[in-house]
Amino acid sequence: MINLSAKQVEHLNSLKKVSEFPSNFKTPTLNSKVGYKVRNTTGGVCLFAKEIIIKNEVICFGNSSMIDKPIIYSYQIEENIHLIGPGGLDHNCQNPNCRIESGTNNFVAIRTIEKDEFLTFNYLTTEFNINNSFLCNCGEERCFKNIRGFKYLNDNDKAYICNNFYMSDFLKKKYSDFSKSV
Ligand SMILES: [Zn+2]
């Protein structure tokens, strides 16, 4: 477990990809069928399928360093534990093609992913309180708009996520505690 100072959080967030992280941070192992493309707009990267990926195939293993605070590149697995993600896995409100896997914290394919498809998951299925909130413009009917974390969703949206998405073990537990309290 690596405890991060606010300054370190800021530094890691300023990097364009996880391969630029200092060597004491272990980044996750990726499926060899997955690659990065550079975004023209920001110079950051996004993840895509270099060849067809089948349903439930592992995209990225949950074998990276644990950190105590969320960063742009992390996903949450426990109250104060976050894993460094692959980076470039974009948020998708309605039709993500990847999900977190219960028990392993791997990311796996929800369905067959075609060659050249970009890889996405719904950030609200892992993040309680997102490090860098943003406005989603996906245009889907059920867009969650202000993506700040599961914590900030209204009761309807919490239930909707719970009933329609694969959530992390952490958020499932958090949600059942929340349901008991109302
Ligand atoms: Zn959206």
Side-chain angles (χ1 to χ4, degrees):
M1 173 74 130
I2 302 173
N3 295 309
L4 297 176
S5 66
K7 215 180 150 88
Q8 278 176 303
V9 169
E10 204 182 313
H11 173 64
L12 295 175
N13 282 345
S14 74
L15 301 174
K16 296 265 189 242
K17 45 194 172 212
V18 296
S19 58
E20 295 175 0
F21 277 27
S23 58
N24 57 318
F25 293 93
K26 181 170 167 38
T27 59
T29 306
L30 297 184
N31 184 326
S32 60
K33 297 176 187 171
V34 167
Y36 289 104
K37 271 185 187 159
V38 177
R39 290 175 219 264
N40 296 329
T41 46
T42 61
V45 290
C46 36
L47 271 186
F48 77 106
K50 291 194 281 188
E51 51 188 286
I52 194 165
I53 293 172
I54 57 168
K55 184 177 173 176
N56 293 329
E57 195 170 346
V58 176
I59 298 292
C60 150
F61 289 88
N63 62 351
S64 53
S65 292
M66 287 190 261
I67 53 180
D68 68 332
K69 295 180 187 71
I71 59 173
I72 290 175
Y73 297 101
S74 68
Y75 59 101
Q76 186 164 21
I77 56 162
E78 280 294 344
E79 193 69 54
N80 293 304
I81 309 180
H82 306 260
L83 288 178
I84 294 172
L89 203 48
D90 279 350
H91 167 77
N92 185 303
C93 283
Q94 278 308 306
N95 296 299
N97 50 24
C98 300
R99 65 176 174 91
I100 191 166
E101 183 178 59
S102 177
T104 63
N105 299 316
N106 295 337
F107 278 98
V108 299
I110 287 177
R111 53 166 171 82
T112 301
I113 301 175
E114 302 297 336
K115 182 177 181 309
D116 289 332
E117 251 191 88
F118 288 103
L119 305 182
T120 60
F121 86 104
N122 186 329
Y123 291 3
L124 298 169
T125 62
T126 61
E127 300 312 285
F128 192 61
N129 192 359
I130 281 180
N131 173 278
N132 256 29
S133 62
F134 59 95
L135 268 181
C136 182
N137 288 317
C138 67
E140 294 283 347
E141 198 181 326
R142 191 103 206 209
C143 176
F144 298 98
K145 303 271 163 55
N146 195 356
I147 312 297
R148 301 170 67 197
F150 188 81
K151 177 182 175 176
Y152 302 99
L153 296 174
N154 63 37
D155 294 356
N156 278 341
D157 283 348
K158 280 192 172 99
Y160 180 77
I161 290 267
C162 191
N163 295 327
N164 293 280
F165 289 88
Y166 295 93
M167 289 204 302
S168 68
D169 294 335
F170 165 70
L171 275 191
K172 264 186 255 174
K173 169 152 191 329
K174 202 91 186 155
Y175 182 71
S176 78
D177 292 349
F178 155 83
S179 311
K180 275 180 229 150
S181 71
V182 290

